[in-house]
Amino acid sequence: MRQWRNKPHCWKVGYSCHHPINQKLAIPPIRSKSLSQAVGLTHQDYSRKTCPTRDSRLVGYGKRRLGSLQRQHDSTIYALSTPPGRSAIAIIRISGPACLHVRSLGSLFANGVKATGRYAALRTLYEPGSLLFADPQVLDPNALVLFFPAPKTVTGEDVLELHLHGGAAVVKAVLNAIPKTLLPSSQADLHSLCYAEPGEFTRRAFYNNRLDLTQIEALGDTLSAETEQQRRLAVRGATNALAREYEDWRQKLLYARGELEAFIDFSEDQHFDESSGRFLNSVATQVGQLRRQMQTNIQNSFRGELLRNGISVALVGAPNAGKSSLLNKIVQREASIVSKQAGTTRDVVEVGIDIGGFYCRFGDLAGLRGNPPGREDIGEIEMEGMRRAKTHARNADVIILVLSSEDLRADAEIPLINSEVKDTLRSCDAETQRIVCVINKSDLVQTCIPTSEIYTKLNQHSVLQEHSVRGTLPVFVVSCKEAEALAGTDNSDPGAFQTFLQGLTSVFESMTTAHQPHEQFGGQVDSSRCELSLGASERQRRLLQQCAKFLDAFLDDVRLADSHDHTDDEDTAAAETDVVLAAENLRSAADCLAKITGRGEAGDVEEVLGVVFQK
């Protein structure tokens, strides 16, 4: 280890200078003995001793990065912020240093706007340069102009908003006039005044620390939300609470890695009270707690994706069981063809609808049946429809098993589920998919079987038992015909259809409620933090999963180092190697968290060294 560590190596921004493994991470102090006493060096002494060119190279990197951002922010952008088309009001937003020139006297309007900002001013907009003539060209006679000075603006820059009449010709004329407001001399200083690229206002808000990546993703969810649950999900991520939690985890990993770096560099020169195995175990205790908390967030992110992307619902059953009638009644229109002839639906008929605030995608599938003797053979088209139905059912989040009341007999097995339907249900994942049973056509049953007996038989069915939650399978008895015929009458729930929709909403709620672990370190479970994790996007979830893999690798390295923690020199060297690998895994884990928020990577070296020398 000594010889390897003293070998020269290349500098890389984001890596600690004293060996190539170093980079950021964190956790609270582990040992009672302070690192400053063990090390006996100051931050400046250690920096000069290990890497005399570190400061100059960091400064050069910083100048290059800031110069690139400065060139980008010198330009001024503008765009229509409201949807295109005719409307009562249209808003044009301008962001950048040229806002001071656009709002100045003699550009778009005869009278300027207050420099203090945040005051609405009613102005007449003119064609730039036309005020020099006796009959200036008016673009909009009554426009509202608002100026917002930096830095407390949506982009962190000077922002000017023009509230116009929403006619397409008015908006087009003002958009064409804005680039003409700059004088040739000011254009040289301000570089450019150009139309914004898609997402450029948000990009500038990120560079100016007005938004982090988690808030930007939540902003996209807010704009695309169609249902109440999607709106609530977007609101959870609109604050930076989720980003603060990720940063808190990264800081914990930063401190943990700082402890490991000190142990790697100074364990041979200074006396430490703990062996490498015991030291790693103390760090692993903190990392293990963080790993369990991260797993909870990963599980909740899957539930949040159901709210964001919609819940896929598949209607599965035998031919002529009433699946198409059930779909039409749910969506309140004739989305699928209904006929007494069996096998009418051959392809997947998918319809999106809002049920109880949940966006759902219902799929009416082809009826599943076998080919017993004495019945019509299954044709090629029907076979393909059945194949697509099985595939769609396996990918659905909720399966509604539709059974016909006509098949219920007091002296027969309840329910009558054919072999094709059974095989499809067996191929579904009991952990991630839910099954709801609906017995349709209850109006056709002459001899009514007790409802309690139907519930009991269904819940005892071998195929359905493994999909039941807490031992109970949701079962509903409905009549689409009665629901249609008695609609608008005094009957509060014709055909028991509202009961079915309310039960279906309860199933959706149970699938999308934040998972809360039974126990959590540091006290009781914080339900609000669990609710926040529902707002994690797919990108965040993938990075969390990648981070969790590095933490698992770290815990494996700890177990390996503990097995090498003996007195002989060979095992001591092996344990030290395990410590180096463990520190690298913590660095990679922290990098994943930094990528989620887009913060923290550039200051890695200084943060890690600060942990080592501030303790």
Side-chain angles (χ1 to χ4, degrees):
M1 286 299 297
R2 269 293 196 184
Q3 295 177 354
W4 172 82
R5 189 165 51 208
N6 291 333
K7 289 182 180 180
H9 52 271
C10 298
W11 170 265
K12 182 177 181 181
V13 173
Y15 280 77
S16 179
C17 50
H18 47 282
H19 65 78
I21 293 296
N22 269 357
Q23 242 171 322
K24 60 185 162 222
L25 275 94
I27 276 187
I30 307 297
R31 299 184 303 280
S32 59
K33 184 177 181 180
S34 67
L35 292 177
S36 60
Q37 295 174 354
V39 175
L41 295 175
T42 65
H43 186 177
Q44 290 78 9
D45 292 337
Y46 184 72
S47 300
R48 289 193 295 268
K49 179 180 177 181
T50 55
C51 188
T53 61
R54 174 182 57 85
D55 293 336
S56 60
R57 294 187 181 185
L58 275 178
V59 170
Y61 168 76
K63 286 182 178 179
R64 291 193 299 272
R65 184 173 183 270
L66 291 176
S68 175
L69 294 180
Q70 186 65 36
R71 286 193 298 271
Q72 181 179 10
H73 290 177
D74 279 347
S75 62
T76 300
I77 56 175
Y78 67 97
L80 178 65
S81 296
T82 49
R86 182 169 21 178
S87 61
I89 298 175
I91 301 176
I92 295 177
R93 177 176 290 170
I94 308 170
S95 177
C99 287
L100 298 175
H101 293 263
V102 174
R103 72 179 181 87
S104 63
L105 186 66
S107 54
L108 278 176
F109 24 83
N111 298 320
V113 182
K114 290 184 178 181
T116 54
R118 291 177 172 80
Y119 285 92
L122 186 64
R123 295 290 184 266
T124 299
L125 302 187
Y126 297 93
E127 177 71 20
S130 65
L131 287 172
L132 300 175
F133 303 99
D135 187 18
Q137 181 180 351
V138 177
L139 301 179
D140 192 333
N142 295 290
L144 201 62
V145 181
L146 296 95
F147 174 66
F148 303 92
K152 295 184 178 181
T153 64
V154 65
T155 61
E157 305 172 330
D158 289 338
V159 172
L160 184 68
E161 288 189 355
L162 307 177
H163 295 228
L164 320 171
H165 290 92
V170 175
V171 173
K172 182 178 179 181
V174 175
L175 288 175
N176 292 334
I178 289 176
K180 305 175 186 178
T181 58
L182 292 182
L183 299 176
S185 59
S186 62
Q187 288 179 352
D189 297 333
L190 299 172
H191 296 293
S192 64
L193 175 59
C194 53
Y195 200 84
E197 298 178 359
E200 191 168 358
F201 285 94
T202 307
R203 188 184 302 115
R204 295 197 175 199
F206 171 74
Y207 284 136
N208 291 319
N209 295 322
R210 301 299 297 173
L211 295 173
D212 57 50
L213 291 185
T214 60
Q215 291 175 300
I216 292 174
E217 289 175 314
L219 176 61
D221 293 339
T222 302
L223 298 178
S224 60
E226 296 181 358
T227 66
E228 176 62 17
Q229 294 297 331
Q230 289 177 334
R231 183 195 65 80
R232 294 181 181 180
L233 182 69
V235 169
R236 292 189 185 102
T239 64
N240 63 345
L242 196 57
R244 287 199 306 268
E245 183 175 36
Y246 295 146
E247 180 61 20
D248 178 62
W249 292 352
R250 194 183 73 87
Q251 289 296 327
K252 289 180 179 179
L253 294 178
L254 174 64
Y255 282 108
R257 183 175 151 231
E259 296 278 353
L260 294 180
E261 299 294 359
F263 189 87
I264 293 171
D265 289 335
F266 307 114
S267 60
E268 297 179 2
D269 303 327
Q270 304 292 333
H271 175 69
F272 284 87
D273 297 334
E274 294 175 311
S275 63
S276 61
R278 291 182 180 178
F279 169 71
L280 277 178
N281 283 330
S282 62
V283 179
T285 301
Q286 302 286 344
V287 174
Q289 293 169 346
L290 177 60
R291 174 65 179 86
R292 290 189 291 273
Q293 187 177 1
M294 189 175 297
Q295 183 60 34
T296 300
N297 280 44
I298 294 174
Q299 293 176 354
N300 287 336
S301 67
F302 280 108
R303 300 187 173 209
E305 287 181 14
L306 293 178
L307 295 174
R308 182 180 297 106
N309 303 327
I311 301 173
S312 176
V313 183
L315 301 179
V316 177
N320 212 22
K323 301 184 297 298
S324 298
S325 299
L326 186 65
L327 174 68
N328 292 345
K329 185 58 183 175
I330 292 173
V331 302
Q332 295 295 312
R333 63 184 180 88
E334 293 184 1
S336 187
I337 299 176
V338 177
S339 173
K340 294 182 179 180
Q341 181 180 355
T344 304
T345 304
R346 298 297 178 92
D347 206 347
V348 179
V349 179
E350 194 169 28
V351 183
I353 188 176
D354 179 355
I355 294 184
F358 296 91
Y359 178 69
C360 309
R361 303 187 310 274
F362 281 85
D364 183 19
L365 311 181
L368 302 178
R369 68 180 180 93
N371 196 6
R375 293 193 60 180
E376 181 183 355
D377 293 339
I378 300 177
E380 182 179 353
I381 297 178
E382 186 178 0
M383 184 68 70
E384 175 63 20
M386 292 172 57
R387 185 194 66 80
R388 296 187 181 187
K390 294 177 181 179
T391 301
H392 191 87
R394 285 191 291 267
N395 296 329
D397 302 310
V398 177
I399 296 176
I400 297 181
L401 175 60
V402 183
L403 303 172
S404 176
S405 298
E406 297 175 295
D407 296 330
L408 299 181
R409 304 282 195 279
D411 56 346
E413 178 189 359
I414 301 176
L416 295 176
I417 304 178
N418 65 46
S419 59
E420 291 294 327
V421 175
K422 289 180 181 179
D423 293 341
T424 302
L425 297 179
R426 289 193 182 100
S427 65
C428 296
D429 189 351
E431 294 184 0
T432 60
Q433 294 178 287
R434 297 286 300 275
I435 292 182
V436 176
C437 287
V438 175
I439 301 176
N440 197 5
K441 304 181 182 181
S442 61
D443 56 288
L444 298 180
V445 178
Q446 300 297 331
T447 304
C448 184
I449 302 174
T451 305
S452 59
E453 184 178 352
I454 296 176
Y455 290 165
T456 302
K457 292 290 186 180
L458 283 171
N459 280 278
Q460 292 178 351
H461 199 285
S462 59
V463 178
L464 303 177
Q465 271 186 335
E466 58 186 51
H467 289 273
S468 61
V469 179
R470 297 182 182 144
T472 304
L473 188 74
V475 180
F476 304 95
V477 180
V478 301
S479 172
C480 295
K481 184 177 180 180
E482 287 184 359
E484 185 70 25
L486 300 178
T489 63
D490 295 337
N491 193 329
S492 59
D493 189 11
F497 207 79
Q498 292 303 317
T499 302
F500 160 64
L501 292 180
Q502 292 173 4
L504 198 59
T505 302
S506 300
V507 173
F508 296 156
E509 289 178 351
S510 65
M511 296 175 61
T512 56
T513 301
H515 170 72
Q516 298 183 4
H518 296 293
E519 58 182 29
Q520 187 176 10
F521 66 93
Q524 297 180 347
V525 177
D526 189 352
S527 59
S528 61
R529 297 183 68 176
C530 295
E531 290 288 337
L532 281 175
S533 59
L534 290 173
S537 65
E538 181 180 2
R539 181 191 69 89
Q540 297 171 27
R541 175 179 57 80
R542 292 183 182 277
L543 287 172
L544 287 177
Q545 289 175 324
Q546 189 176 356
C547 178
K549 290 181 180 179
F550 287 119
L551 295 183
D552 291 337
F554 167 80
L555 296 175
D556 292 339
D557 292 338
V558 170
R559 287 189 287 268
L560 184 60
D562 190 40
S563 64
H564 288 158
D565 192 16
H566 303 295
T567 57
D568 56 279
D569 295 337
E570 182 179 354
D571 284 340
T572 301
E576 188 176 359
T577 302
D578 296 334
V579 175
V580 174
L581 295 176
E584 172 65 8
N585 284 320
L586 288 185
R587 180 199 66 80
S588 300
D591 282 346
C592 295
L593 295 177
K595 291 177 182 177
I596 293 180
T597 60
R599 310 293 185 195
E601 293 179 311
D604 179 308
V605 175
E606 294 296 335
E607 290 180 20
V608 173
L609 293 181
V611 171
V612 173
F613 294 104
Q614 288 175 7
K615 283 185 176 294

PDB file of all heavy atoms in Angstrom, residues 204-216:
ATOM      1  N   ARG A 204     -31.730  28.673 -17.344  1.00  0.00           N
ATOM      2  CA  ARG A 204     -31.095  29.816 -16.683  1.00  0.00           C
ATOM      3  C   ARG A 204     -31.472  29.869 -15.206  1.00  0.00           C
ATOM      4  O   ARG A 204     -30.663  30.276 -14.362  1.00  0.00           O
ATOM      5  CB  ARG A 204     -31.495  31.110 -17.387  1.00  0.00           C
ATOM      6  CG  ARG A 204     -30.974  31.185 -18.810  1.00  0.00           C
ATOM      7  CD  ARG A 204     -31.012  32.580 -19.366  1.00  0.00           C
ATOM      8  NE  ARG A 204     -30.396  32.626 -20.684  1.00  0.00           N
ATOM      9  CZ  ARG A 204     -29.962  33.731 -21.265  1.00  0.00           C
ATOM     10  NH1 ARG A 204     -30.093  34.894 -20.645  1.00  0.00           N
ATOM     11  NH2 ARG A 204     -29.410  33.690 -22.457  1.00  0.00           N
ATOM     12  N   ALA A 205     -32.692  29.485 -14.877  1.00  0.00           N
ATOM     13  CA  ALA A 205     -33.081  29.428 -13.467  1.00  0.00           C
ATOM     14  C   ALA A 205     -32.218  28.423 -12.711  1.00  0.00           C
ATOM     15  O   ALA A 205     -31.855  28.644 -11.547  1.00  0.00           O
ATOM     16  CB  ALA A 205     -34.558  29.057 -13.354  1.00  0.00           C
ATOM     17  N   PHE A 206     -31.854  27.318 -13.362  1.00  0.00           N
ATOM     18  CA  PHE A 206     -30.988  26.324 -12.725  1.00  0.00           C
ATOM     19  C   PHE A 206     -29.573  26.868 -12.534  1.00  0.00           C
ATOM     20  O   PHE A 206     -28.985  26.737 -11.458  1.00  0.00           O
ATOM     21  CB  PHE A 206     -30.964  25.054 -13.574  1.00  0.00           C
ATOM     22  CG  PHE A 206     -29.943  24.040 -13.125  1.00  0.00           C
ATOM     23  CD1 PHE A 206     -30.152  23.287 -11.986  1.00  0.00           C
ATOM     24  CD2 PHE A 206     -28.777  23.846 -13.847  1.00  0.00           C
ATOM     25  CE1 PHE A 206     -29.218  22.361 -11.571  1.00  0.00           C
ATOM     26  CE2 PHE A 206     -27.840  22.929 -13.442  1.00  0.00           C
ATOM     27  CZ  PHE A 206     -28.061  22.170 -12.299  1.00  0.00           C
ATOM     28  N   TYR A 207     -29.006  27.492 -13.567  1.00  0.00           N
ATOM     29  CA  TYR A 207     -27.645  28.019 -13.466  1.00  0.00           C
ATOM     30  C   TYR A 207     -27.547  29.125 -12.421  1.00  0.00           C
ATOM     31  O   TYR A 207     -26.491  29.315 -11.807  1.00  0.00           O
ATOM     32  CB  TYR A 207     -27.185  28.555 -14.819  1.00  0.00           C
ATOM     33  CG  TYR A 207     -26.808  27.478 -15.803  1.00  0.00           C
ATOM     34  CD1 TYR A 207     -27.217  27.540 -17.134  1.00  0.00           C
ATOM     35  CD2 TYR A 207     -26.052  26.391 -15.410  1.00  0.00           C
ATOM     36  CE1 TYR A 207     -26.866  26.550 -18.037  1.00  0.00           C
ATOM     37  CE2 TYR A 207     -25.709  25.388 -16.295  1.00  0.00           C
ATOM     38  CZ  TYR A 207     -26.112  25.474 -17.608  1.00  0.00           C
ATOM     39  OH  TYR A 207     -25.768  24.493 -18.492  1.00  0.00           O
ATOM     40  N   ASN A 208     -28.629  29.856 -12.207  1.00  0.00           N
ATOM     41  CA  ASN A 208     -28.619  30.944 -11.236  1.00  0.00           C
ATOM     42  C   ASN A 208     -29.164  30.523  -9.872  1.00  0.00           C
ATOM     43  O   ASN A 208     -29.528  31.371  -9.049  1.00  0.00           O
ATOM     44  CB  ASN A 208     -29.442  32.128 -11.767  1.00  0.00           C
ATOM     45  CG  ASN A 208     -28.766  32.798 -12.946  1.00  0.00           C
ATOM     46  OD1 ASN A 208     -27.551  32.984 -12.951  1.00  0.00           O
ATOM     47  ND2 ASN A 208     -29.556  33.154 -13.951  1.00  0.00           N
ATOM     48  N   ASN A 209     -29.242  29.190  -9.655  1.00  0.00           N
ATOM     49  CA  ASN A 209     -29.640  28.644  -8.349  1.00  0.00           C
ATOM     50  C   ASN A 209     -31.050  29.049  -7.933  1.00  0.00           C
ATOM     51  O   ASN A 209     -31.350  29.147  -6.740  1.00  0.00           O
ATOM     52  CB  ASN A 209     -28.644  29.058  -7.258  1.00  0.00           C
ATOM     53  CG  ASN A 209     -27.274  28.475  -7.475  1.00  0.00           C
ATOM     54  OD1 ASN A 209     -27.139  27.334  -7.908  1.00  0.00           O
ATOM     55  ND2 ASN A 209     -26.242  29.250  -7.199  1.00  0.00           N
ATOM     56  N   ARG A 210     -31.907  29.277  -8.902  1.00  0.00           N
ATOM     57  CA  ARG A 210     -33.315  29.540  -8.579  1.00  0.00           C
ATOM     58  C   ARG A 210     -34.120  28.241  -8.505  1.00  0.00           C
ATOM     59  O   ARG A 210     -35.132  28.173  -7.815  1.00  0.00           O
ATOM     60  CB  ARG A 210     -33.937  30.462  -9.637  1.00  0.00           C
ATOM     61  CG  ARG A 210     -33.255  31.812  -9.779  1.00  0.00           C
ATOM     62  CD  ARG A 210     -33.323  32.602  -8.499  1.00  0.00           C
ATOM     63  NE  ARG A 210     -34.704  32.915  -8.146  1.00  0.00           N
ATOM     64  CZ  ARG A 210     -35.063  33.477  -6.995  1.00  0.00           C
ATOM     65  NH1 ARG A 210     -34.153  33.730  -6.071  1.00  0.00           N
ATOM     66  NH2 ARG A 210     -36.336  33.750  -6.747  1.00  0.00           N
ATOM     67  N   LEU A 211     -33.679  27.230  -9.219  1.00  0.00           N
ATOM     68  CA  LEU A 211     -34.320  25.914  -9.206  1.00  0.00           C
ATOM     69  C   LEU A 211     -33.242  24.845  -9.242  1.00  0.00           C
ATOM     70  O   LEU A 211     -32.176  25.045  -9.839  1.00  0.00           O
ATOM     71  CB  LEU A 211     -35.249  25.737 -10.417  1.00  0.00           C
ATOM     72  CG  LEU A 211     -36.482  26.634 -10.542  1.00  0.00           C
ATOM     73  CD1 LEU A 211     -37.152  26.401 -11.890  1.00  0.00           C
ATOM     74  CD2 LEU A 211     -37.475  26.380  -9.417  1.00  0.00           C
ATOM     75  N   ASP A 212     -33.508  23.705  -8.599  1.00  0.00           N
ATOM     76  CA  ASP A 212     -32.641  22.544  -8.770  1.00  0.00           C
ATOM     77  C   ASP A 212     -33.331  21.558  -9.711  1.00  0.00           C
ATOM     78  O   ASP A 212     -34.461  21.774 -10.141  1.00  0.00           O
ATOM     79  CB  ASP A 212     -32.301  21.892  -7.427  1.00  0.00           C
ATOM     80  CG  ASP A 212     -33.538  21.485  -6.638  1.00  0.00           C
ATOM     81  OD1 ASP A 212     -34.404  20.823  -7.228  1.00  0.00           O
ATOM     82  OD2 ASP A 212     -33.638  21.841  -5.453  1.00  0.00           O
ATOM     83  N   LEU A 213     -32.632  20.486 -10.029  1.00  0.00           N
ATOM     84  CA  LEU A 213     -33.170  19.552 -11.027  1.00  0.00           C
ATOM     85  C   LEU A 213     -34.460  18.889 -10.549  1.00  0.00           C
ATOM     86  O   LEU A 213     -35.351  18.606 -11.361  1.00  0.00           O
ATOM     87  CB  LEU A 213     -32.120  18.490 -11.354  1.00  0.00           C
ATOM     88  CG  LEU A 213     -30.887  18.978 -12.114  1.00  0.00           C
ATOM     89  CD1 LEU A 213     -29.993  17.804 -12.477  1.00  0.00           C
ATOM     90  CD2 LEU A 213     -31.289  19.739 -13.373  1.00  0.00           C
ATOM     91  N   THR A 214     -34.578  18.616  -9.266  1.00  0.00           N
ATOM     92  CA  THR A 214     -35.815  18.000  -8.775  1.00  0.00           C
ATOM     93  C   THR A 214     -36.994  18.957  -8.924  1.00  0.00           C
ATOM     94  O   THR A 214     -38.106  18.530  -9.277  1.00  0.00           O
ATOM     95  CB  THR A 214     -35.661  17.594  -7.302  1.00  0.00           C
ATOM     96  OG1 THR A 214     -35.360  18.752  -6.517  1.00  0.00           O
ATOM     97  CG2 THR A 214     -34.542  16.586  -7.137  1.00  0.00           C
ATOM     98  N   GLN A 215     -36.783  20.238  -8.694  1.00  0.00           N
ATOM     99  CA  GLN A 215     -37.858  21.221  -8.867  1.00  0.00           C
ATOM    100  C   GLN A 215     -38.208  21.397 -10.340  1.00  0.00           C
ATOM    101  O   GLN A 215     -39.373  21.602 -10.685  1.00  0.00           O
ATOM    102  CB  GLN A 215     -37.445  22.559  -8.261  1.00  0.00           C
ATOM    103  CG  GLN A 215     -37.350  22.559  -6.748  1.00  0.00           C
ATOM    104  CD  GLN A 215     -36.822  23.871  -6.205  1.00  0.00           C
ATOM    105  OE1 GLN A 215     -35.719  24.299  -6.513  1.00  0.00           O
ATOM    106  NE2 GLN A 215     -37.630  24.534  -5.409  1.00  0.00           N
ATOM    107  N   ILE A 216     -37.207  21.313 -11.202  1.00  0.00           N
ATOM    108  CA  ILE A 216     -37.469  21.439 -12.636  1.00  0.00           C
ATOM    109  C   ILE A 216     -38.319  20.272 -13.124  1.00  0.00           C
ATOM    110  O   ILE A 216     -39.258  20.445 -13.912  1.00  0.00           O
ATOM    111  CB  ILE A 216     -36.142  21.528 -13.399  1.00  0.00           C
ATOM    112  CG1 ILE A 216     -35.448  22.853 -13.074  1.00  0.00           C
ATOM    113  CG2 ILE A 216     -36.359  21.399 -14.904  1.00  0.00           C
ATOM    114  CD1 ILE A 216     -34.066  22.978 -13.663  1.00  0.00           C
TER     115      ILE A 216
END
